[in-house]
Amino acid sequence: MLIDHAAEFDVRDYLRKEMMPHFLCPGCGHGIALRALLWALHDLGIDKDRLAVVSGIGCAGRLSAYIDANTFHVTHGRPLAYATGLALARPDLHVVVISGDGDCLAIGGNHLIHACRRNLKLTCLMLNNEVYGMTGGQVSPTTPETLLTTTTPHGNTEPHFDACALAAAAGAGFVGREVTLNVPKLKELIREGLTHPGFAFVEIMSDCTEIFGRKNNLGSSPEMMMRQKSELRPTAYRDTVDMPFRPNHLPTGILARNYRPEYGASYRQATAMQGGAPR
C-alpha cells in the first residue's frame, strides 16, 4: 500500500496488523516510542520499501516485528553490527536500530562505541527502561544506584552509565535524549536524528511499570508518567529529568552534534581510489 505522506499521520498505516495484539505490558513506554518513530518517518516521507529496521533481544527488540517495512530481529547485543553491514552494502536505505539499555550497553556496548567512532549513516534508538524487563528484571547498566532488581535484592551498588555522554565521547555525529511523556518533542528529536548525515544516537527514557516500577514502589504507569512531568525542569538551555530514571538531573533534547566525514562515503571514496569495489 502506498502512503500519502501529505495526509494526517495514522499509525496503522505503518504496522503489521496481523502481528496484533502486541506483547507489551500495559503501561510500557516502548509503544509510545514506536509511535514517535513512525510519526517521524511519516513526517519525512520515508518510503517503507527504503526503510530497514534492525533490533536485538529484549522488550525493545520485539518492536521491529510490528513495523511494516524491511525488518531484522537479530542476536542479543548485535543489532548495530548487523546494521553496520547493511548500511555499508545498501547506502540507499534508511537504517534504524531499535535496542534496549541492556542490549545496547551491556553485551552490545563494544558495538555501540565503535558505531559512534565510525560515524556511519544510521540511527540508533536506545529505549532505556533501566532494567532487563523481558528476562526477569535483572540489573542493567542504566539501573540507578540503590534501586531494586531481581539480581540486586538489597539495592544496586554499581554506578550507572550516562549513555549519551558515552556516545558523545565516542564520537557520535548526533546525540539526543527525550522522555516518552513528551511525544511531540520525542518525534522531533527522532526526526533530527534520521536526517543527520552520520551516526545518530537517541536515548529514549521509557518506563517499565510491571517489572521495575512495581519492585521499587514507583506506582502505576500513569503515576510514573506524571512523575516524568512533575520532574521536568526548564533551564536556560533545555529541559531536565531525574527520578524515577536517575538520581541526578539529566538533560534532554539535542546534546551533541558534529559534521565530521561519514564513514560509508569515506570508505567508498577510498575504494574507488584503489580502482574498484571492495573484495
Side-chain angles (χ1 to χ4, degrees):
M1 179 183 68
L2 294 177
I3 294 177
D4 180 5
H5 290 278
E8 184 177 352
F9 170 62
D10 186 342
V11 70
R12 293 171 294 185
D13 293 337
Y14 293 86
L15 296 175
R16 291 180 174 135
K17 300 180 183 65
E18 67 274 14
M19 299 296 292
M20 297 296 152
H22 59 73
F23 94 121
L24 300 172
C25 298
C28 176
H30 288 6
I32 299 173
L34 176 59
R35 180 183 179 84
L37 167 63
L38 299 178
W39 189 5
L41 293 168
H42 179 85
D43 276 6
L44 293 171
I46 294 176
D47 188 336
K48 293 191 293 183
D49 289 337
R50 294 294 182 184
L51 172 65
V53 182
V54 185
S55 64
I57 302 301
C59 298
R62 180 64 177 173
L63 296 185
S64 64
Y66 303 127
I67 302 174
D68 185 19
N70 305 291
T71 58
F72 304 85
H73 192 194
V74 302
T75 50
H76 192 198
R78 311 298 184 229
L80 280 168
Y82 282 85
T84 294
L86 179 59
L88 276 173
R90 292 289 304 274
D92 57 309
L93 296 177
H94 294 269
V95 180
V96 176
V97 168
I98 301 177
S99 189
D101 47 297
D103 187 59
C104 192
L105 288 176
I107 190 171
N110 191 51
H111 295 301
L112 173 63
I113 291 170
H114 293 291
C116 295
R117 177 179 66 89
R118 292 188 184 100
N119 197 40
L120 179 65
K121 175 69 176 84
L122 62 90
T123 303
C124 176
L125 307 182
M126 190 191 83
L127 277 56
N128 180 6
N129 60 9
E130 304 182 313
V131 74
Y132 282 87
M134 176 179 282
T135 55
Q138 301 93 330
V139 68
S140 91
T142 61
T143 303
E145 293 172 66
T146 75
L147 293 192
L148 306 176
T149 71
T150 303
T151 50
T152 58
H154 303 295
N156 181 30
T157 57
E158 294 182 344
H160 58 262
F161 263 125
D162 181 338
C164 288
L166 175 68
F174 178 96
V175 179
R177 178 190 291 119
E178 192 51 80
V179 296
T180 51
L181 176 74
N182 288 331
V183 180
K185 285 186 178 181
L186 177 56
K187 183 262 291 186
E188 288 302 318
L189 184 65
I190 295 173
R191 176 173 172 157
E192 289 286 332
L194 288 168
T195 57
H196 182 81
F199 182 77
F201 177 80
V202 178
E203 180 180 18
I204 302 173
M205 305 302 294
S206 186
D207 63 83
C208 174
T209 306
E210 294 298 315
I211 302 295
F212 190 69
R214 183 177 296 180
K215 186 175 286 292
N216 287 283
N217 296 317
L218 297 176
S220 64
S221 179
E223 290 171 317
M224 292 181 72
M225 294 290 285
M226 289 306 295
R227 185 173 294 193
Q228 289 186 34
K229 182 177 181 179
S230 67
E231 293 173 352
L232 285 170
R233 294 180 172 86
T235 69
Y237 302 101
R238 56 179 71 91
D239 292 337
T240 58
V241 61
D242 60 1
M243 288 296 292
F245 304 112
R246 289 294 194 281
N248 303 309
H249 298 175
L250 287 179
T252 58
I254 299 173
L255 307 180
R257 178 155 36 192
N258 64 69
Y259 293 96
R260 62 191 180 88
E262 190 268 335
Y263 177 73
S266 298
Y267 181 79
R268 287 185 289 274
Q269 182 181 19
T271 300
M273 292 176 64
Q274 296 299 317
R279 289 180 288 197

